[in-house]
């Protein structure tokens, strides 16, 4: 079951969903709108390698916005700090953003239950587009679970700002292939 | 309702979720990590395709090109609907694993085809943890699935016909 906007508000007020800051204006019928933070991250390596710590730079989005070229890929973050110990959050683009050809995540929409922090958006533009800090860019929905809950204790817990991939920390390939 | 990691483990024991091979290490709070198989379909000019083996040195994907691969595990359920998605660690490196077709039908049990598109040049390795699958309770009578792509265990290209 997916939570309605009214239920999301109730769960935030009751403490089962963390949403800082919380603004009632951001509630939709069955999600909560997320705004773009002011930093972005670009990788410096020509070839990204999940087994390595890939070099990157974090920069500020200028006041007059940042233009993403067609096919450009950057990591950004939500202004909001969010998470839940009771519901599973799933990230989506706003349809108004998707209609501009901008992906906000790269097939990684699922947030683990118990994970709290700024969401890292994976922006990929299919057309040139200008983005602004503070704009509504995504939305988060919350889903009921079945089964005993074990909370997230992973490496991205407590993220602040855009977080680069840390896949190298637990990278392994099958022994039988070595 | 989405199954928690603990519930996925229970359903695997009961046989209502099939994950083969199954490893405790790959359970997340509300999903299960799947690995990349070692076959990759590469499309050349005029859509001609060839299958290559990804060796242990890895294979570099070019940005903006679509490749097909498959999960190393057989994954499925006769009771729960599924969503096959990426890991955030891989999304943060700009690698798409599905092209907006994430839904798995109740009754599909096989090695799933992955649609890989890189936003940035990236090296992939066979057997690496690449994505995750979630399981969802359904409401209503479950009908027998029509046999389509669920019979394929290798990366399978589109069979779409007009």
């Amino acid at each position: 079951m997916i939570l309605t906007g009214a239920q999301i508000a109730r769960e935030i007020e009751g403490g089962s969903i963390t949403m800082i800051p919380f603004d009632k204006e951001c509630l939709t019928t069955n999600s909560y709108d997320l705004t773009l933070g002011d930093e972005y991250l670009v990788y410096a390596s020509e070839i990204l390698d999940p087994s390595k710590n890939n070099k990157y730079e974090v920069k500020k989005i200028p006041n007059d916005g940042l233009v993403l070229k067609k096919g450009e890929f950057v990591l950004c973050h939500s202004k909001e700090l969010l998470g839940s110990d009771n519901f599973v959050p799933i990230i989506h683009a706003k349809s108004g953003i998707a209609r501009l050809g901008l992906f906000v995540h790269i097939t990684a929409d699922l947030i683990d239950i118990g994970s709290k922090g700024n969401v890292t958006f994976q922006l990929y533009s299919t057309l040139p587009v200008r983005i602004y800090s503070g704009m509504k860019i995504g939305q988060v929905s919350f889903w009921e679970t079945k089964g005993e809950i074990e909370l997230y204790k992973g490496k991205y817990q407590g993220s602040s700002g855009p977080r680069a991939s840390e896949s190298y920390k637990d990278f392994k390939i099958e022994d039988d292939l070595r | 309702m989405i199954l928690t990691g603990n519930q996925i483990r229970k359903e695997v024991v009961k046989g209502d979720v099939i994950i083969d091979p199954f490893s405790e290490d790959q359970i997340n709070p509300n999903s299960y990590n799947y690995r990349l198989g070692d076959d990759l379909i590469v499309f050349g000019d005029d859509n001609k395709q060839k299958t290559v083996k990804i060796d242990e040195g890895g294979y570099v994907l070019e940005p903006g090109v679509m490749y097909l691969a498959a999960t190393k595990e057989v994954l499925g359920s006769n009771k729960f609907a599924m969503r096959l998605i990426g890991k955030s660690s891989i999304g943060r490196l700009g690698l798409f694993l599905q092209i907006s077709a994430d839904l798995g039908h109740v009754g599909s049990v096989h090695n799933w085809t992955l649609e890989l598109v890189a936003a940035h040049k990236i090296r992939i390795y066979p057997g690496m943890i690449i994505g995750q699958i979630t399981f969802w309770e359904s409401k209503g009578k479950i009908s027998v699935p029509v046999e389509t792509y669920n019979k394929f265990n290798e990366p399978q290209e589109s069979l779409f016909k007009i």
Side-chain angles (χ1 to χ4, degrees):
Chain A
M1 297 255 243
I2 181 171
L3 269 49
T4 63
Q7 192 63 30
I8 293 172
R10 239 175 258 143
E11 302 295 349
I12 292 171
E13 281 154 9
S16 292
I17 292 177
T18 303
M19 184 65 70
I20 303 166
F22 172 50
D23 177 359
K24 279 204 162 83
E25 297 291 308
C26 291
L27 289 165
T28 75
T29 41
N30 38 23
S31 69
Y32 185 92
D33 286 339
L34 298 175
T35 50
L36 189 65
D38 60 356
E39 288 182 333
Y40 69 103
L41 181 155
V42 280
Y43 289 102
S45 322
E46 192 210 341
I47 300 175
L48 297 178
D49 190 328
S51 71
K52 297 195 173 109
N53 188 359
N54 298 282
K55 288 203 176 67
Y56 62 85
E57 269 185 277
V58 176
K59 300 176 184 179
K60 281 261 184 255
I61 297 178
N63 288 338
D64 59 348
L66 171 72
V67 175
L68 299 179
K69 295 191 288 276
K70 179 181 171 175
E72 199 165 344
F73 161 59
V74 298
L75 299 182
C76 289
H77 66 103
S78 67
K79 220 168 212 171
E80 293 79 10
L81 184 158
L82 62 133
S84 175
D85 289 352
N86 301 80
F87 304 99
V88 172
I90 292 187
I91 302 299
H92 321 261
K94 294 283 295 170
S95 110
I97 295 299
R99 287 163 209 242
L100 295 172
L102 183 62
F103 284 89
V104 305
H105 69 77
I106 296 189
T107 50
D109 60 0
L110 188 74
I111 297 188
D112 286 313
I113 200 160
S115 163
K116 309 260 169 69
N118 294 145
V119 171
T120 291
F121 293 124
Q122 301 128 20
L123 299 192
Y124 177 67
S125 51
T126 62
L127 291 172
V129 62
R130 188 184 293 269
I131 56 169
Y132 300 90
S133 171
M135 72 187 278
K136 283 187 178 178
I137 194 159
Q139 48 188 327
V140 56
S141 55
F142 293 91
W143 300 79
E144 282 190 315
T145 59
K146 181 183 174 163
E148 197 192 318
I149 290 171
E150 208 168 299
L151 299 177
Y152 177 75
K153 294 192 275 296
K155 51 193 182 288
Y156 301 113
Q157 186 65 288
S159 286
S160 169
R163 272 292 275 281
S165 176
E166 293 176 15
S167 59
Y168 68 96
K169 285 191 173 167
D170 43 22
F171 186 84
K172 58 173 188 210
I173 62 174
E174 278 295 281
D175 289 341
D176 60 292
L177 288 163
R178 284 181 189 277
Chain B
M1 302 258 237
I2 179 170
L3 302 197
T4 64
N6 284 317
Q7 193 64 31
I8 294 172
R9 182 190 292 111
K10 271 194 195 150
E11 300 295 346
V12 167
V13 173
K14 275 199 282 182
D16 283 331
V17 164
I18 294 108
I19 298 174
D20 185 25
F22 174 74
S23 163
E24 283 279 332
D25 298 349
Q26 287 167 236
I27 296 180
N28 296 315
N30 38 269
S31 66
Y32 183 87
N33 289 336
Y34 62 81
R35 294 168 302 156
L36 178 66
D38 51 4
D39 282 344
L40 188 71
I41 294 184
V42 180
F43 293 85
D45 297 339
D46 67 23
N47 265 357
K48 229 176 163 180
Q49 47 180 277
K50 59 172 184 185
T51 302
V52 297
K53 284 267 176 224
I54 312 169
D55 67 27
E56 62 183 73
Y59 187 96
V60 175
L61 304 180
E62 294 295 325
V65 180
M66 204 266 290
Y67 304 83
L68 296 179
T71 62
K72 193 167 171 71
E73 291 84 3
V74 169
L75 303 165
S77 175
N78 289 315
K79 186 170 170 192
F80 302 101
M82 290 150 276
R83 288 188 68 224
L84 204 69
I85 55 175
K87 292 281 294 171
S88 106
S89 286
I90 300 301
R92 287 166 207 250
L93 294 173
L95 180 60
F96 287 90
L97 297 177
Q98 285 81 29
I99 300 192
S100 56
D102 58 359
L103 189 68
H105 295 273
V106 179
S108 300
V109 181
H110 62 131
N111 298 86
W112 297 67
T113 291
L114 304 172
E115 299 109 26
L116 305 182
V117 174
H120 190 118
K121 235 183 219 197
I122 183 171
R123 186 179 298 276
I124 56 169
Y125 298 90
M128 69 183 276
I129 299 272
I130 199 162
Q132 52 186 332
I133 183 169
T134 55
F135 296 90
W136 298 79
E137 267 198 323
S138 50
K139 180 176 175 175
K141 186 173 171 278
I142 293 169
S143 51
V144 181
V146 180
E147 194 175 87
T148 52
Y149 297 104
N150 54 23
K151 62 189 172 192
F152 296 110
N153 287 327
E154 290 80 41
Q156 174 58 45
E157 69 274 18
S158 178
L159 300 173
F160 190 80
K161 282 189 205 116
I162 294 172

